[in-house]
Amino acid sequence: MPFTIDWRDRQLMDALSEPFHQANEILGRGFQNEITATKWDWPNPPLKRDIVDSGSAGIRGSYEGDRAGKFTHTHGWNMDYAMAVHEGARYGRNTKWGQIWIAIHGKPEMPGRPWTKAPLEAGTLEEAFEKLAQRALGSFS
Amino acid sequence: MTPAELRAALSGLLSGVLGTYTLPSGSTVDAIYVGEPPSDWTASGLEVLIDPLGDWSHVPAHQTSAYVDELNVRLVAHGSVSDLRAAERKVRSRWGVNRRRIPADEAVGILAQSTIKIPA
């Protein structure tokens, strides 16, 4: 006896878009919490600090999270030096800041503060999405 | 792959775009170094710095995860960025990895550079 299975794949995918974005918003809060966490090494006391005021006070305030598409979510920090703070930066040896970093730790390089690393590696996005998606699919009919 | 092995691989891969270190004696060597080069060496052109410590990333996935050993590399442009861009493309072609760009800022002395994580 022939029969038809309707997978309702489009409706299924549509139902997962909101959990995807909500999970990303949880991830975004995780990123922002890293910026204010007193966990980053500094060469002079206090030896553990946040990075809110590391010559880039606007990092936390510059965050832009955007639902850019059904399954596209962007996270950005729209300010000068954001990437330099995140990745660390090499200065010209004979520049003022190059000389400062040489005096602090022997090389003309500001250490990186990768505030996105821990939340990504902890599976924040994946865990949040699994829970939210299960809830959304549970009510799917 | 050890940092020394990566240095050898990058020396070959980037041979057409690597800059030079000028030593106090006046002699020159390719500007690629594991760790921090001596303070009296002067870099010009593209400089490649390899972190000797190595690192790893934890990559979560659905119901599983993986640890990936990596070597951190910093490409620094002392001058034109064209060799920096060419090096980024060569590294991407060889290892399929992306780069993170730090734009130059002349006001504070930040050099144009990129960071790349290469699977060890």
Side-chain angles (χ1 to χ4, degrees):
Chain A
M1 179 175 74
F3 57 90
T4 302
I5 297 176
D6 179 6
W7 293 106
R8 302 177 69 191
D9 50 325
R10 175 179 284 185
Q11 293 96 320
L12 195 69
M13 292 304 288
D14 285 348
L16 292 177
S17 178
E18 182 63 25
F20 170 77
H21 287 298
Q22 289 181 10
N24 267 281
E25 283 151 10
I26 291 171
L27 177 65
R29 288 194 286 278
F31 291 152
Q32 296 291 76
N33 289 340
E34 283 287 292
I35 292 168
T36 58
T38 309
K39 62 177 276 187
W40 304 100
D41 292 331
W42 285 85
N44 51 312
L47 299 179
K48 293 283 186 186
R49 306 182 200 174
D50 60 37
I51 54 174
V52 174
D53 293 322
S54 58
S56 47
I59 278 187
R60 196 169 194 277
S62 72
Y63 173 69
E64 294 175 357
D66 183 39
R67 297 186 175 203
K70 190 182 287 187
F71 290 105
T72 303
H73 198 105
T74 62
H75 302 271
W77 289 266
N78 186 21
M79 64 161 288
D80 293 344
Y81 318 127
M83 189 62 93
V85 175
H86 189 277
E87 293 294 303
R90 195 84 175 172
Y91 289 73
R93 185 168 286 277
N94 296 321
T95 62
K96 170 190 163 189
W97 280 104
Q99 290 294 307
I100 287 172
W101 286 112
I102 288 171
I104 290 173
H105 68 157
K107 54 184 177 178
E109 188 171 308
M110 174 175 67
R113 306 284 190 253
W115 66 83
T116 61
K117 184 174 167 72
L120 286 171
E121 293 198 347
T124 305
L125 177 66
E126 290 77 5
E127 285 181 20
F129 180 69
E130 283 188 28
K131 287 178 186 163
L132 292 164
Q134 280 177 10
R135 200 180 304 161
L137 295 176
S139 59
F140 184 71
S141 61
Chain B
M1 178 167 54
T2 67
E5 288 168 342
L6 177 58
R7 185 196 179 284
L10 286 172
S11 290
L13 180 69
L14 304 179
S15 63
V17 296
L18 267 179
T20 56
Y21 288 124
T22 301
L23 280 56
S25 64
S27 61
T28 60
V29 297
D30 286 342
I32 179 167
Y33 206 87
V34 176
E36 181 65 22
S39 59
D40 54 0
W41 290 15
T42 303
S44 62
L46 175 68
E47 179 182 29
V48 178
L49 297 167
I50 300 166
D51 183 353
L53 297 179
D55 200 357
W56 67 85
S57 287
H58 180 236
V59 183
H62 180 60
Q63 300 294 317
T64 188
S65 66
Y67 287 93
V68 179
D69 290 324
E70 298 167 333
L71 291 167
N72 294 322
V73 177
R74 188 176 295 267
L75 308 177
V76 184
H78 296 266
S80 165
V81 296
S82 58
D83 288 336
L84 171 61
R85 298 289 174 255
E88 290 172 351
R89 284 191 289 272
K90 287 174 181 282
V91 171
R92 184 194 68 203
S93 294
R94 170 66 178 80
W95 282 285
V97 292
N98 206 348
R99 81 290 175 268
R100 289 178 177 165
R101 279 196 188 148
I102 298 104
D105 189 319
E106 289 186 13
V108 296
I110 293 176
L111 301 167
Q113 58 203 270
S114 298
T115 58
I116 301 178
K117 293 181 183 295
I118 296 179

